[in-house]
């Protein structure tokens, strides 16, 4: 028997094995394992105090782990911190923008810190200002920028060093919906250029929109990990709601299916289902055989909010204080 050839797994941008960190008697990270492929978006979720920011600080060499092996961009974070820092960019929860400087001056300062000479630095700053739609604002003090503009400038400054891995620690907190969607487009463009993005966020929709893989951190451990759709399948409760043209059709369908909850006033039948194309088609074929007329259909499946609460508990159970 010939075993089909399996392509090798994509090379990793970030790996962690047995990562541990405690502050006093409080264990924040308790044996965390990670494998994040290059050119992907990985999102780390968890309640406030779960240790998301601590994980970012360790991976970006700002905090030393107590145990475990961690490699970022091929370098050990403990033995080769300089090489790790040269390969990464970090945008934290709080902007690194200097309000007293203009947008252009912020970019030039960052370029000079990275060793660029004056002319190449100006060329780089101009290119980043154009890329992030900051050309008209480049000569203005950063103190006059909106929240979305400051975030764009913050990420532009992060890109001065041409990082292969970028850590975005709650980058859209406090932004309006339009600015948040603008940030999402920036993240997608970065990944399209081959950059690996490690994202922590308070917004589950953001993780759902952007992440290739998601991990949920709770009580110092990863309690769930997978692609967004894989995680949603961990939670039962999905269903399909069929709306019928008349009561007779609803009654025939309910008797034929033998499952589900009928609402005679709304003329609907709620049937358990995962919302997949195959299961919905099979359901409609079955109903069609009863000659009942279906006027509408809605699919309600678990979302990341359901997953989050299922694996971490409800907000009133959150007692941790370390971030």
């Amino acid at each position: 028997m010939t075993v089909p050839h399996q392509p090798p797994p994509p090379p990793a941008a970030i790996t962690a094995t047995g990562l541990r960190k405690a502050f006093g008697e409080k264990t924040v990270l308790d044996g965390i394992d990670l494998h994040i492929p290059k050119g992907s978006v990985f999102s780390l979720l968890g309640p406030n105090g779960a240790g998301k920011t601590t994980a970012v600080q360790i991976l970006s060499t700002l905090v030393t782990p107590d145990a475990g092996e961690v490699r970022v961009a091929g370098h050990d974070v403990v033995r080769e911190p300089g090489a790790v820092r040269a390969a990464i960019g970090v945008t934290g929860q709080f902007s690194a923008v200097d309000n007293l400087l203009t947008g252009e001056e912020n970019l030039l300062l960052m370029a000079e810190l990275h060793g660029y000479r004056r002319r190449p630095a100006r060329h780089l700053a101009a290119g980043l200002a154009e890329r992030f739609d900051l050309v008209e604002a480049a000569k203005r003090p950063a103190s006059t920028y909106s929240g979305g503009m400051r975030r764009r400038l913050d990420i532009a400054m992060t890109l001065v060093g041409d990082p292969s891995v970028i850590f975005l620690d709650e980058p859209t907190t406090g932004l309006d919906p339009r600015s948040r969607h603008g940030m999402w487009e920036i993240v997608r463009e970065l990944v399209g250029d081959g950059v690996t993005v490690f994202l922590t966020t308070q917004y589950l929709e953001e993780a759902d929109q952007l992440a290739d893989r998601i991990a949920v951190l709770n009580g110092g451990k990863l309690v769930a990990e997978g692609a967004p759709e894989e995680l949603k399948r961990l939670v039962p409760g999905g269903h399909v709601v069929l709306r019928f043209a008349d009561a007779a059709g609803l009654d025939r369908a309910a008797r034929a299916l033998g499952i589900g909850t009928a609402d005679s006033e709304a003329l609907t039948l709620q049937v358990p289902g995962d919302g997949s194309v195959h299961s919905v088609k099979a359901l409609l074929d079955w109903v069609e055989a009863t000659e009942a007329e279906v006027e509408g259909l809605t699919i309600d499946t678990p979302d990341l909010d359901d997953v989050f609460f299922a694996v971490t508990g409800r907000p009133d159970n959150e007692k941790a204080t370390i971030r």
Side-chain angles (χ1 to χ4, degrees):
M1 178 179 177
T2 303
V3 178
H5 175 70
Q6 296 292 331
I14 299 172
T15 59
T17 305
L19 174 59
R20 296 181 182 274
K21 184 64 183 179
F23 295 98
E25 297 182 356
K26 173 66 177 180
T27 299
V28 183
L29 301 174
D30 188 9
I32 302 300
D33 296 333
L34 296 172
H35 181 96
I36 303 173
K38 290 182 179 179
S40 66
V41 180
F42 177 87
S43 184
L44 185 63
L45 307 178
N48 288 338
K52 303 185 298 295
T53 296
T54 299
V56 171
Q57 290 173 334
I58 291 173
L59 294 171
S60 57
T61 76
L62 297 177
V63 171
T64 302
D66 295 335
E69 182 178 357
V70 183
R71 301 184 72 84
V72 176
H75 304 287
D76 187 283
V77 299
V78 175
R79 295 191 295 267
E80 307 171 275
V84 172
R85 291 169 192 154
I88 68 172
V90 181
T91 298
Q93 296 178 38
F94 305 103
S95 173
V97 171
D98 189 325
N99 284 328
L100 299 179
L101 302 179
T102 67
E104 180 183 53
E105 289 168 342
N106 271 284
L107 290 168
L108 288 173
L109 175 60
M110 190 61 64
E112 291 170 6
L113 291 174
H114 277 84
Y116 283 85
R117 294 184 179 275
R118 191 163 189 80
R119 181 172 294 180
R122 288 192 173 280
H123 179 75
L124 177 62
L128 288 170
E130 182 175 1
R131 178 177 180 181
F132 288 90
D133 194 23
L134 294 168
V135 173
E136 293 184 4
K139 302 292 185 182
R140 286 167 30 203
S143 59
T144 67
Y145 286 16
S146 67
M149 292 170 65
R150 288 170 60 84
R151 267 310 186 191
R152 296 205 305 273
L153 177 58
D154 212 5
I155 292 185
M157 293 166 63
T158 300
L159 294 184
V160 166
D162 194 24
S164 61
V165 178
I166 294 180
F167 295 94
L168 300 179
D169 192 11
E170 300 187 8
T172 63
T173 298
L175 296 186
D176 62 79
R178 183 183 298 274
S179 297
R180 185 172 299 126
H181 280 262
M183 287 296 301
W184 294 357
E185 289 306 312
I186 290 172
V187 171
R188 293 184 180 110
E189 289 174 8
L190 291 172
V191 175
D193 291 338
V195 175
T196 304
V197 175
F198 187 108
L199 171 72
T200 72
T201 179
Q202 297 181 8
Y203 303 106
L204 301 186
E205 180 194 5
E206 186 163 88
D208 200 359
Q209 286 282 336
L210 295 176
D212 299 294
R213 291 186 68 79
I214 294 171
V216 182
L217 184 63
N218 192 48
K221 297 181 181 294
L222 294 182
V223 293
E225 184 175 359
E229 294 307 315
E230 292 175 331
L231 293 181
K232 293 172 190 177
R233 287 197 290 270
L234 296 176
V235 181
H239 57 263
V240 177
V241 179
L242 301 172
R243 188 177 73 257
F244 292 85
D246 51 52
L250 168 62
D251 183 62
R252 285 199 304 274
R255 284 189 284 105
L257 289 172
I259 58 172
T261 303
D263 185 331
S264 57
E265 292 186 4
L267 297 179
T268 59
L269 179 64
Q270 180 176 301
V271 182
D274 60 8
S276 67
V277 173
H278 175 76
S279 64
V280 172
K281 183 178 183 302
L283 175 61
L284 290 176
D285 288 345
W286 189 275
V287 171
E288 185 179 6
T290 69
E291 298 184 351
E293 184 179 349
V294 177
E295 286 194 333
L297 175 150
T298 58
I299 300 172
D300 187 0
T301 56
D303 57 19
L304 285 183
D305 291 69
D306 299 312
V307 176
F308 185 87
F309 291 130
V311 299
T312 67
R314 290 286 165 178
D316 56 5
N317 293 330
E318 295 174 16
K319 299 180 181 179
T321 58
I322 297 176
R323 294 180 66 82

